[in-house]
Amino acid sequence: MKYIPFIIILILILAIIIAIYCGIAYIRNKTREVSRALFGTSDITKAAQQMKQEYAATPKSVSAMTSLLLPKIVSDFPDFQYDEMKERAENVLTCYLRAITERRHSLLQDGNSELKNQLENHIQMLCAKDLREHFDQIKIHRTEISQYRKTQGRCIITFQSALECYHYITNTANSSMVQEGSREYKYQTKYNIDLIYIQDRNLIENELDNALGVNCPNCGAPLSSLGAKVCEYCGTPVIEINIHAWSFSNIDEIR
């Protein structure tokens, strides 16, 4: 009789072990069923690899506000050429990433001093850490206008581009060692490219933020409408006196 409690404990432990084993088996079977249904294979490792490949091949979606914002932009700037600016935005982004890859600032021709300083600071940061950042086989899937902002004579149009490439970071001393990213799987991401309107480029040539208030050259009154051709207070022509200029000022990755 004195062994009965011990036997009961053993039976309970055995029951718990069997329950755990059955639970694990059930979960494993269910996981395989789901994997088979989604990916056509019950091998979890293959399914994970397949999911990674599909993720690497699926472009990011962009905030497409072009149809809504472009009429407002054209209303302010009747001479605005959307297709030309869109192509310029894509070229600036591509050149910016290639300049980082090759550590050559001169590859970025378009863009103001703020954007060029941003590029230089990024390259210097990598050099200080003995790292090289690579953007290989760059391909842009889609570019749309995502934002349009006007404040105190400053106008910013933000283009957003969905982009793929092989993105990875290596050590300067050992280029074969990948510290981040992958040489095997494509990297899908998106970038914002800011295009800024400047009434007179010469006045802000050395400015970093390019946040210049636009005023009438005759009476000094602020121009309430960016791209205005005539001062609404005194009637003085504006475009004929000032230089109509657009410039790219910032590039940010949207993760």
Side-chain angles (χ1 to χ4, degrees):
M1 297 292 293
K2 63 180 180 179
Y3 296 106
I4 292 178
F6 179 71
I7 295 174
I8 293 175
I9 293 174
L10 289 178
I11 293 173
L12 290 174
I13 294 174
L14 181 60
I16 292 172
I17 293 174
I18 293 174
I20 293 174
Y21 176 81
C22 291
I24 293 173
Y26 176 80
I27 293 172
R28 185 187 296 116
N29 290 334
K30 281 296 181 181
T31 303
R32 288 175 177 174
E33 288 178 7
V34 172
S35 177
R36 191 181 299 108
L38 294 177
F39 305 103
T41 176
S42 58
D43 190 319
I44 305 302
T45 303
K46 289 183 179 179
Q49 185 177 10
Q50 185 176 338
M51 190 186 334
K52 190 174 182 179
Q53 290 173 342
E54 290 181 0
Y55 179 80
T58 304
K60 295 281 188 178
S61 60
V62 299
S63 176
M65 301 293 289
T66 304
S67 60
L68 180 64
L69 297 177
L70 186 56
K72 297 180 181 180
I73 297 171
V74 173
S75 176
D76 290 336
F77 303 96
D79 298 329
F80 183 80
Q81 299 296 321
Y82 168 69
D83 291 333
E84 176 187 344
M85 290 302 181
K86 175 182 174 182
E87 183 177 356
R88 281 182 61 190
E90 293 180 343
N91 288 337
V92 164
L93 175 57
T94 301
C95 291
Y96 183 87
L97 299 180
R98 286 177 176 167
I100 293 175
T101 301
E102 300 185 25
R103 292 184 175 181
R104 290 173 54 195
H105 310 84
S106 60
L107 291 179
L108 181 64
Q109 297 293 328
D110 204 350
N112 59 20
S113 58
E114 184 178 4
L115 181 60
K116 291 177 180 178
N117 286 340
Q118 179 184 349
L119 170 63
E120 184 175 357
N121 290 337
H122 188 87
I123 294 176
Q124 288 179 352
M125 178 271 294
L126 291 169
C127 291
K129 296 180 179 180
D130 290 328
L131 298 175
R132 296 202 65 162
E133 189 170 10
H134 305 262
F135 297 89
D136 297 338
Q137 299 183 34
I138 299 170
K139 178 181 178 182
I140 296 177
H141 294 287
R142 184 182 181 187
T143 299
E144 297 282 351
I145 294 175
S146 65
Q147 293 183 62
Y148 178 45
R149 310 184 296 283
K150 297 187 295 181
T151 56
Q152 299 178 348
R154 181 176 184 168
C155 170
I156 301 175
I157 299 173
T158 300
F159 288 92
Q160 190 169 104
S161 293
L163 175 148
E164 77 171 30
C165 63
Y166 288 96
H167 175 241
Y168 54 95
I169 296 176
T170 60
N171 187 279
T172 304
N174 186 0
S175 59
S176 63
M177 181 180 296
V178 175
Q179 297 193 359
E180 184 179 330
S182 172
R183 283 192 174 105
E184 300 177 4
Y185 293 98
K186 290 182 179 179
Y187 178 65
Q188 301 288 344
T189 187
K190 55 186 177 182
Y191 283 87
N192 280 347
I193 309 103
D194 287 342
L195 176 66
I196 189 169
Y197 173 81
I198 301 300
Q199 194 80 10
D200 189 334
R201 182 187 297 272
N202 293 327
L203 293 178
I204 48 77
E205 191 175 40
N206 296 320
E207 294 292 332
L208 291 180
D209 61 2
N210 295 326
L212 177 69
V214 181
N215 299 83
C216 173
N218 180 50
C219 69
L223 300 179
S224 58
S225 176
L226 286 165
K229 296 182 181 300
V230 176
C231 174
E232 62 186 26
Y233 293 95
C234 68
T236 300
V238 177
I239 293 298
E240 286 76 2
I241 295 177
N242 295 313
I243 299 173
H244 184 159
W246 291 93
S247 181
F248 291 96
S249 64
N250 186 62
I251 293 177
D252 283 321
E253 183 177 10
I254 310 300
R255 296 181 182 272

